[in-house]
Amino acid sequence: MNPDEAFNWPDGDIILRATHGTHSRDFRVHKIFLSFASPVFREMFQLPRSSSATSDIDTIDVVGPSRALEVILRFIYPSTDPPTINDLTLLSQVLVLADKYDIGVARSRLRTLLVGFARTEPLRVYAIACRLGFEDEMKIASSHTTSIHLPGLTELPDEFKLIPATEYHRLILLHARYRKEVETIATAPSQAPLSAKGSFFGVDLGVVIGEAMRQPIVDCIRRGTPLSYESLALAVKTDHNIDAGTSSVGKLIRSILDKANALNLTV
């Protein structure tokens, strides 16, 4: 079936007109399915019909891309295949419609799909979840943003334009708390010192070298640079083979990052 012909049932008793910018598309569908899936639509259909109506079939304007409305209808109609959504922009648009019309049959599945994008696009997922009031998804997404250097971003995703500044501030506070925790990890006495044979005037050379290597790491954390293995290794500026991750310096950095990753802090 041609996508433009989907949900154009000859016996449909209601038209949903998706409008997005200058583009619009009509879907001729059935009130019974919409009523079952959405209490918002059900209440609309119970309103008395306008006496000025010139058509035998009513039209409801739905603000949003036609593709998003089509996906919603695929959730509503039991005879259609479950929609596959591999694009976060489309998912966001569909979620907005599902939330606006209280379509529960779609919302739970869509929220699960949203979490699936949290690892690869955490900032966008965080903003989308904030906009829709999805606290659990917002927390999950925020935990994946800690590896991002927020002050270094030249611009935020467009989704941040649709949420209050207070929600972005919550993210800033999370990152500050995260870096404080990582700094504590990096300076903890329990961190294994770098290995070095011998001593000098009774001082363990491994401990001395270890402390000397930790300070550049701590400075790197305090500067707000990205907390990755590469950035911390570069901050140490040592002749050790830190890229291979097999040297004492590399093991120290790995140990810090492993413990940092286990923090799982959220807003």
Side-chain angles (χ1 to χ4, degrees), residues 132-257:
L132 296 171
F134 297 162
E135 188 73 18
D136 290 343
E137 289 79 2
M138 186 173 65
K139 288 182 179 296
I140 293 172
S142 70
S143 69
H144 290 294
T145 69
T146 50
S147 61
I148 298 172
H149 180 39
L150 286 182
L153 295 178
T154 55
E155 61 180 350
L156 290 168
D158 289 341
E159 287 83 359
F160 274 79
K161 298 175 183 177
L162 303 174
I163 66 173
T166 51
E167 299 294 358
Y168 177 62
H169 185 60
R170 289 178 67 185
L171 206 57
I172 292 293
L173 293 179
L174 167 66
H175 281 234
R177 181 159 54 100
Y178 173 73
R179 287 187 176 276
K180 193 67 178 177
E181 292 287 343
V182 178
E183 182 180 335
T184 300
I185 291 171
T187 57
S190 59
Q191 289 285 353
L194 299 183
S195 60
K197 296 181 179 180
S199 63
F200 188 72
F201 290 113
V203 177
D204 188 337
L205 292 180
V207 173
V208 173
I209 296 175
E211 292 303 320
M213 293 300 99
R214 284 197 190 95
Q215 190 56 51
I217 293 174
V218 172
D219 292 341
C220 184
I221 295 169
R222 290 175 178 173
R223 283 196 303 270
T225 51
L227 294 182
S228 65
Y229 183 84
E230 291 74 17
S231 62
L232 293 180
L234 182 63
V236 171
K237 295 180 180 178
T238 177
D239 291 333
H240 289 278
N241 184 22
I242 54 178
D243 289 334
T246 57
S247 69
S248 296
V249 179
K251 291 177 180 178
L252 175 63
I253 294 174
R254 288 292 184 199
S255 174
I256 293 171
L257 292 178

Side-chain angles (χ1 to χ4, degrees), residues 21-225:
T22 59
H23 181 266
S24 67
R25 177 182 162 195
D26 288 352
F27 296 83
R28 186 162 182 158
V29 290
H30 304 90
K31 289 182 180 179
I32 187 171
F33 289 120
L34 299 181
S35 297
F36 182 78
S38 164
V40 177
F41 280 129
R42 184 163 58 249
E43 291 179 9
M44 284 185 183
F45 300 151
Q46 292 173 351
L47 296 174
R49 193 168 189 266
S50 173
S51 59
S52 61
T54 59
S55 173
D56 293 335
I57 182 170
D58 288 335
T59 297
I60 297 177
D61 289 323
V62 177
V63 179
S66 59
R67 175 60 178 144
L69 180 53
E70 181 182 333
V71 171
I72 283 291
L73 291 172
R74 291 191 181 281
F75 275 107
I76 292 175
Y77 272 74
S79 60
T80 57
D81 295 329
T84 299
I85 305 176
N86 297 316
D87 177 72
L88 184 54
T89 298
L90 175 61
L91 176 58
S92 175
Q93 295 165 344
V94 176
L95 267 168
V96 169
L97 291 181
D99 187 68
K100 180 178 181 180
Y101 293 100
D102 194 13
I103 304 175
V105 68
R107 189 189 295 111
S108 58
R109 171 60 177 158
L110 293 170
R111 290 178 71 164
T112 300
L113 292 176
L114 184 64
V115 171
F117 285 94
R119 185 174 296 276
T120 55
E121 300 191 69
L123 285 178
R124 294 184 65 196
V125 171
Y126 175 81
I128 292 168
C130 286
R131 177 187 179 188
L132 296 171
F134 297 162
E135 188 73 18
D136 290 343
E137 289 79 2
M138 186 173 65
K139 288 182 179 296
I140 293 172
S142 70
S143 69
H144 290 294
T145 69
T146 50
S147 61
I148 298 172
H149 180 39
L150 286 182
L153 295 178
T154 55
E155 61 180 350
L156 290 168
D158 289 341
E159 287 83 359
F160 274 79
K161 298 175 183 177
L162 303 174
I163 66 173
T166 51
E167 299 294 358
Y168 177 62
H169 185 60
R170 289 178 67 185
L171 206 57
I172 292 293
L173 293 179
L174 167 66
H175 281 234
R177 181 159 54 100
Y178 173 73
R179 287 187 176 276
K180 193 67 178 177
E181 292 287 343
V182 178
E183 182 180 335
T184 300
I185 291 171
T187 57
S190 59
Q191 289 285 353
L194 299 183
S195 60
K197 296 181 179 180
S199 63
F200 188 72
F201 290 113
V203 177
D204 188 337
L205 292 180
V207 173
V208 173
I209 296 175
E211 292 303 320
M213 293 300 99
R214 284 197 190 95
Q215 190 56 51
I217 293 174
V218 172
D219 292 341
C220 184
I221 295 169
R222 290 175 178 173
R223 283 196 303 270
T225 51

